[in-house]
Amino acid sequence: MSPSPTGEVLISSERLAGRVTELGAQISRDYADKDLVMVGVLRGAVVFIADLLRSLDVACEIDFMAVSSYGSSRDSSGVVRILKDLDDSITGRDVLIVEDIVDSGLTLNYLMRNLRARDPASLEVCALLTKPERRRVDVPIRYTGFEIPNTFVVGYGLDHAQQYRHLAHVAELPEDVDPGSGTR
Ligand code: PRP
């Protein structure tokens, strides 16, 4: 893979687009007769959910939550705070949580427990990236984009210290950048 202005390209924009199209087709089939609400987890999932939404051919609403589980350290504290809650009720609806990345699984574990308590008709997860090596709690991911190794990645919505979200591809952080000051 060619080098990028950040680090090595891990997943090109072409591969991302292809996989998002596949996920969109699969979700469209599975939710054809459902009442789909996609819940994007701010901020990292914004780029992914925007593309995923446009790859669907079923009726769908979107809503967003913002949570904070990391503070300023790289490793998850496991303590999750809701910074922004959903705007609308999900009771009786078919909810699909859309995440950019699942690392320890602690954020998703909290979110699933929190949203399940609101009595949705169904609750599933779509994650663009997952790092199985880092998992600390088992979380059921119905739709996965890519499994990646335990390396700090940026781009396509993912940040390091709020930078690099604009990249059209997913890249590794360059070795001369200290990931310790990042958030994931
Ligand atoms: C990322 C990601 C998940 C969480 C996953 O968010 O979007 O919410 O970390 O990690 P976990 O599986 O270890 O809980 P981040 O805190 O980087 O915030 P952001 O989406 O605003 O960039």
Side-chain angles (χ1 to χ4, degrees):
M1 284 277 181
S2 61
S4 73
T6 55
E8 281 295 303
V9 175
L10 195 67
I11 309 171
S12 68
S13 60
E14 292 79 14
R15 282 182 69 206
L16 286 166
R19 188 69 187 118
V20 170
T21 300
E22 288 173 0
L23 289 171
Q26 200 180 343
I27 292 166
S28 297
R29 280 195 300 275
D30 294 351
Y31 286 85
D33 302 315
K34 306 270 177 124
D35 182 18
L36 176 60
V37 185
M38 294 205 300
V39 172
V41 184
L42 298 171
R43 304 174 216 179
V46 162
V47 177
F48 178 41
I49 197 172
D51 283 346
L52 189 61
L53 185 64
R54 285 175 287 183
S55 75
L56 295 181
D57 59 10
V58 285
C60 171
E61 291 182 20
I62 55 169
D63 205 339
F64 293 94
M65 281 184 86
V67 295
S68 165
S69 58
Y70 285 87
S72 57
S73 82
R74 184 180 182 182
D75 281 309
S76 177
S77 58
V79 177
V80 176
R81 273 190 313 139
I82 293 183
L83 304 177
K84 181 219 168 293
D85 207 342
L86 298 176
D87 287 336
D88 298 325
S89 167
I90 54 166
T91 302
R93 309 201 64 186
D94 295 292
V95 176
L96 181 62
I97 300 173
V98 178
E99 265 285 23
D100 54 342
I101 187 164
V102 181
D103 191 330
S104 68
L106 292 167
T107 304
L108 198 50
N109 185 53
Y110 170 83
L111 271 177
M112 291 198 78
R113 280 189 286 122
N114 184 289
L115 295 186
R116 198 173 284 123
R118 306 182 197 194
D119 288 325
S122 64
L123 182 63
E124 303 287 353
V125 176
C126 177
L128 178 69
L129 306 174
T130 174
K131 286 184 188 173
E133 278 176 61
R134 295 265 301 170
R135 203 70 93 245
R136 286 167 60 185
V137 55
D138 201 26
V139 280
I141 305 177
R142 174 86 177 266
Y143 308 95
T144 300
F146 300 90
E147 286 194 0
I148 61 169
N150 183 15
T151 176
F152 198 103
V153 290
V154 296
Y156 199 70
L158 289 103
D159 75 308
H160 173 261
Q162 301 304 330
Q163 293 297 307
Y164 307 117
R165 294 192 197 273
H166 66 288
L167 297 175
H169 57 269
V170 172
E172 293 184 0
L173 202 61
E175 285 179 4
D176 58 349
V177 178
D178 174 17
S181 60
T183 54
R184 180 187 55 261

